[in-house]
Amino acid sequence: MKKFRLTQKKRIEWLFAGSLLLIPIIHFCVFNLYVNLNAVLLSFKTYKSDIDSYVWNFGDFFINYKDMFKAFTKEGSGLLLSCRNSLIFTILNNFFLLPLSVILTYFLHKKMPCTLFFRVIFQLPSIISVVVLVMVFRFMFDSTIGFVNPFLKWIGLEKIIPKEGWLGTEKTAWILMITYCVWVGFGGNVLLLSGAMARVPNELIEAAKIDGIGFWSELWHIEVPLIGGTISTMLLLSVQVFFSYFLPVQLLTNGGPDGATQTLAMYSIRFIKGGGSDLTQSATLGMIITIIGTPLIIGFKKLFDKVFPTYEF
């Protein structure tokens, strides 16, 4: 039987390929596998400040999960409020922003007047850093350097300017958050939907027009079904907002006032107070989110794929 031998050239090629694969493997093991495994273990431990270390909860293995359940059911709970806020952002994305984005993209796709101008306006937020975008938006409503308050006074609407500032009350803070989400949400949605609608065959549209299809009928009976795969993906990403929406709220309102705009992700992160602080509650909440969120995401994916099937064209 003839032995298989690698030539010097093949050895170099295999060594080069292995070295390229080594970096992502190490990255996965350290930043994914180790971090997530450590979070699982932390949810079954208790932090001891006197020894600055974590010890196993052998007396009551699930005490962290019980404490988290008590925090959820407690009246006036910050966790319950955070879940409510996250749900509001999820509903806003799925039932308001996405349908309007489909209609808006359809108008742009049909070359309405000033289409190029509106494309730039709506897609600008999606190409600028989130940090920069939020800070600019916040400065607009600042009482000292912002232009919103002077503009409202100029047009005679100074009465609607809140005395406590736009971030001083729960109502006005929510107005700012909703306004920001609507403004920014259109950008990414229009970008994705424009690409999907551009792939719809023109021959199909022309054939439908010969049969006498109307403007809105074309949208609901041709465009929407044929971009169903993209809509399904966007709906799935919007569901994940419930578990992961954090940075815009952190930068704009910092969860205030008094935690009124705090989301579930912010609630989890605020358990971390730096240094050698107790990370067990954050790890426990992360485990609960994973246990609940994983089957939910899988279930929603199957539902969305069934409602909006993907067509090859």
Side-chain angles (χ1 to χ4, degrees), residues 66-306:
K66 293 177 182 178
D67 290 343
M68 197 59 61
F69 179 76
K70 291 177 182 177
F72 184 80
T73 55
K74 184 180 178 181
E75 186 177 354
S77 167
L79 177 58
L80 192 60
L81 178 63
S82 300
C83 290
R84 186 207 69 174
N85 295 341
S86 294
L87 183 61
I88 290 174
F89 287 119
T90 305
I91 292 174
L92 176 68
N93 272 279
N94 280 340
F95 297 99
F96 180 74
L97 280 177
L98 186 55
L100 286 182
S101 297
V102 172
I103 296 173
L104 175 62
T105 306
Y106 180 63
F107 275 97
L108 296 177
H109 181 65
K110 286 301 179 181
K111 308 298 181 184
M112 61 177 287
C114 302
T115 295
L116 184 59
F117 170 76
F118 285 113
R119 281 191 183 276
V120 174
I121 293 298
F122 286 118
Q123 294 181 9
L124 193 62
S126 63
I127 61 176
I128 299 178
S129 168
V130 175
V131 177
V132 174
L133 202 62
V134 175
M135 298 311 296
V136 169
F137 184 83
R138 181 169 181 170
F139 290 152
M140 288 166 50
F141 291 87
D142 191 271
S143 58
T144 56
I145 62 175
F147 71 87
V148 173
N149 288 357
F151 176 75
L152 292 175
K153 292 178 181 178
W154 181 63
I155 62 177
L157 296 177
E158 63 273 4
K159 291 184 178 180
I160 69 173
I161 300 175
K163 296 179 180 179
E164 303 85 353
W166 289 99
L167 298 175
T169 65
E170 179 179 348
K171 181 180 179 181
T172 53
W174 268 107
I175 290 174
L176 255 63
M177 279 305 313
I178 298 298
T179 303
Y180 173 82
C181 290
V182 170
W183 175 47
V184 174
F186 278 127
N189 290 349
V190 169
L191 190 63
L192 292 173
L193 292 169
S194 294
M197 286 189 181
R199 292 186 290 108
V200 176
N202 290 326
E203 297 82 3
L204 186 60
I205 303 297
E206 293 298 329
K209 288 181 178 179
I210 293 175
D211 292 335
I213 195 170
F215 183 82
W216 292 106
S217 296
E218 178 185 332
L219 172 63
W220 301 120
H221 298 293
I222 296 180
E223 298 285 355
V224 170
L226 290 181
I227 65 172
T230 301
I231 294 177
S232 174
T233 301
M234 295 173 69
L235 283 170
L236 192 63
L237 292 174
S238 295
V239 172
Q240 295 179 4
V241 166
F242 180 83
F243 304 104
S244 61
Y245 198 63
F246 164 71
L247 187 57
V249 184
Q250 173 72 28
L251 295 174
L252 188 58
T253 67
N254 196 27
D258 299 325
T261 58
Q262 183 175 255
T263 61
L264 185 60
M266 286 188 67
Y267 185 87
S268 175
I269 291 174
R270 284 187 172 181
F271 281 126
I272 306 172
K273 300 178 181 178
S277 58
D278 188 356
L279 305 179
T280 56
Q281 289 181 310
S282 184
T284 303
L285 182 58
M287 281 299 300
I288 293 174
I289 291 174
T290 302
I291 293 170
I292 297 176
T294 301
L296 275 178
I297 294 297
I298 294 174
F300 276 119
K301 184 180 187 307
K302 291 183 178 180
L303 175 63
F304 295 150
D305 288 343
K306 187 175 182 181

